[in-house]
Amino acid sequence: MVTDDPTLTNPDHYRTLWENEHVRVLEYTDEPGDRTTPHDHPNSVMVTLSDFSRRLSAGERTFDTALTTGQAVWLPAQRHFGENTGTTPTHTILIELKGDAAGEPSSGALGPERPGPA
């Protein structure tokens, strides 16, 4: 269950595009140097519509990631805040799962899983 909904904690960056009882589809946008406040994500699929460079943090842990335009990656349920560390704006779509499939944030999850071969 999402407790700190990113559309409420960071409404300048996240907006709901579509939702039903199974999934919620979010759009995320930001500019280089923009930061978010702590928020939660359920298990999700993230699709990058632009190059994506960011530092995600949770407590004392940090995770740097860089993805190219058009990648789809699994984002396990987690709580984090982030910063655009790139030189271009970020534009992504998140497909958040609901119900039992949403999962629970774990202390080990931070950032997307590394993409495998297509």
Side-chain angles (χ1 to χ4, degrees), residues 43-46 52 56 63-67 71-78 106 108-116:
N43 286 330
S44 306
V45 174
M46 181 176 70
F52 178 92
L56 298 172
F63 178 83
D64 290 312
T65 188
L67 301 169
Q71 286 190 272
V73 295
W74 179 250
L75 184 71
Q78 60 191 267
S106 77
L110 185 58
E113 290 184 356
R114 294 287 182 199

Side-chain angles (χ1 to χ4, degrees), residues 32-94:
D34 281 355
R35 294 175 185 225
T36 59
T37 59
H39 57 276
D40 298 309
H41 290 286
N43 286 330
S44 306
V45 174
M46 181 176 70
V47 180
T48 57
L49 302 178
S50 67
D51 287 349
F52 178 92
S53 295
R54 60 196 318 95
R55 174 168 291 141
L56 298 172
S57 301
E60 298 298 314
R61 298 179 311 127
T62 62
F63 178 83
D64 290 312
T65 188
L67 301 169
T68 57
T69 302
Q71 286 190 272
V73 295
W74 179 250
L75 184 71
Q78 60 191 267
R79 178 175 181 77
H80 64 229
F81 60 95
E83 176 184 3
N84 180 337
T85 56
T87 58
T88 61
T90 298
H91 190 195
T92 65
I93 300 294
L94 291 125

